[in-house]
Amino acid sequence: MNPSSPDPLPFHEHTARVTRELITALVTEDDTDALAAQVADIAARLSAAAADPHGVTVEDPHEVPNHIPHDITPASSARNAIAPPMAIVPDGDGYRCDLTLPLQYQGPPGRVHGGIVALMIDHLLGHAAGMDSPRRSMTRTLTLDYDGGTPINEPITVRGWIARREGRKTFLEAQILCDDEVRVRAHGLWILPREA
Amino acid sequence: MNPSSPDPLPFHEHTARVTRELITALVTEDDTDALAAQVADIAARLSAAAADPHGVTVEDPHEVPNHIPHDITPASSARNAIAPPMAIVPDGDGYRCDLTLPLQYQGPPGRVHGGIVALMIDHLLGHAAGMDSPRRSMTRTLTLDYDGGTPINEPITVRGWIARREGRKTFLEAQILCDDEVRVRAHGLWILPREA
């Protein structure tokens, strides 16, 4: 019924994982020589995999059944190194994603960038709006209330659910939690486009 | 008065630029062998720069005077490969950023991910709220209205300005434009934290 899970190829997924390490190194290491040593090591690993791309295997592959065929989004795609990537799973009447974000997602010191918070919520709510639909709904409005900070390098949970439906309109709500405390609340409206 | 521009080191900035190319290749190239050839080429360039990191120079370095010392944010940092990176400049009574986003920022086909739209707006408004202040304001609420799609791989403009101030509160508004047409509108409240 729904288009099935994305199908990142092992070489794509492996390379994206190594690229995420490279991004972390870039923002973590201030010293040029120390960074150069890390980059040299990562380049060697990229090069080795590229020499035998069909021999690459991935431990614990990222599999997220969703409504985005061939997912390349910066939120949930295993092959997009911008994406953490989010693994969204059903949770009661809604969906959730548990994850820990490294330093490349930081805004204020120690906190996830407010825009990355918005990215995760928008993506999870789009997922919730679209999972039982043959087509993808589009964000119409989204409001975020930042009650508290969302920490970097600590486990956080993004939760979202459908509040109500009116024809092609779906109203949704979300939260980000840390230590069982709500840090961010959000609500928004998604619209299912008319058939082309 | 404001902390000065970030100071990405040339090797950091160069490596981040190459990493952005790698991210684009990962989401653009479906064929494993074709991707492997691109990864091998990029790995060789990373490796060559790492062998002589102090000899690296960067053409047209990214310099954005802002209120974020040693900027590593996923929006405007030259050394964070997640960041486009945004170059924010004064524009009339506010600020603007002109940019073109490649495929790794896509949500719906052909369109920038709604969460990336939120990231750019949140970051530009945080910049506008903080530029004439000794400290950084924090997002309290942000509301986004997606009137239309924001295209991938086409020039777009993010604009933002202060609507009014009330003590430590700053109310801001923003737009994303493409072809002189408003595609996204936003408004939000930023708060200057009390001195620690």
Side-chain angles (χ1 to χ4, degrees), chain A residues 12 26 29-30 33 54 74 79-80 104 106 111 113 123 136 138 140-146, chain B residues 12 26 29-30 33 54 74 79-80 104 106-107 111 113 123 138 140-147:
Chain A
H12 285 69
L26 273 165
E29 186 53 73
D30 288 326
D33 292 315
H54 298 283
R79 65 189 266 196
N80 187 336
Q104 61 261 38
Q106 180 175 272
R111 295 183 171 195
H113 193 292
H123 198 77
R136 194 162 161 179
M138 311 280 266
R140 184 63 187 81
T141 72
L142 176 62
T143 295
L144 300 136
D145 287 288
Y146 296 87
Chain B
H12 285 69
L26 273 166
E29 185 53 73
D30 288 325
D33 292 315
H54 299 283
R79 65 190 265 195
N80 187 335
Q104 59 260 40
Q106 180 175 274
R111 296 183 172 194
H113 193 292
H123 196 78
M138 311 279 267
R140 185 63 188 78
T141 71
L142 177 62
T143 296
L144 301 136
D145 287 290
Y146 297 86
D147 295 332

Side-chain angles (χ1 to χ4, degrees), chain A residues 7 33 47 53 71 81 103 120-121 183:
Chain A
D7 45 3
D33 292 315
S47 183
D71 187 355
L103 196 61
M120 293 189 295
I121 287 178
R183 305 298 176 96

